Amino acid sequence: RMSRHAQQLRDHDVNPCVAETDASRKCLDDNNYKKDMCTAYFLKYKSCRKFWHDIMMQRRRNGVRPEMPSAEERKKMLESMG
């Protein structure tokens, strides 16, 4: 059974970067943990985290709850940005 923290990290409403996390992990598995083979995946993950962290901080400053938009809200936000 997964810990609560692990469950939250797999929850698309809590963690906006589940797909990027999975892609990075798969790349490491597929390339025998040679990190230099997965740089592009790491960069995608890092930019995903930064993007949603900035949104979360902005929402926190503006008093918007919840601070992290739901998976559905995030999808709409991304679609509206193109």
Side-chain angles (χ1 to χ4, degrees):
R1 187 168 136 64
M2 274 196 279
S3 71
R4 255 190 79 171
H5 181 69
Q7 282 175 330
Q8 280 187 325
L9 291 178
R10 300 297 312 153
D11 182 342
H12 289 270
D13 283 328
V14 176
N15 179 2
C17 302
V18 172
E20 291 78 1
T21 303
D22 291 348
S24 295
R25 193 165 289 136
K26 183 181 183 325
C27 179
L28 286 170
D29 287 344
D30 292 350
N31 291 288
N32 205 19
Y33 288 82
K34 292 187 183 120
K35 290 182 178 162
D36 56 322
M37 304 285 286
C38 302
T39 307
Y41 293 97
F42 298 153
L43 289 174
K44 271 186 194 162
Y45 171 79
K46 198 172 171 182
S47 64
C48 177
R49 295 297 305 174
K50 182 185 181 336
F51 178 82
W52 290 112
H53 180 264
D54 291 348
I55 298 248
M56 202 169 74
M57 291 293 105
Q58 188 180 355
R59 286 169 66 106
R60 185 177 290 168
R61 278 192 301 273
N62 296 339
V64 178
R65 290 268 180 211
E67 289 166 358
M68 178 57 70
S70 70
E72 190 58 36
E73 275 183 277
R74 289 195 311 268
K75 186 176 174 224
K76 288 177 182 156
M77 289 167 79
L78 290 173
E79 284 168 359
S80 74
M81 293 166 68

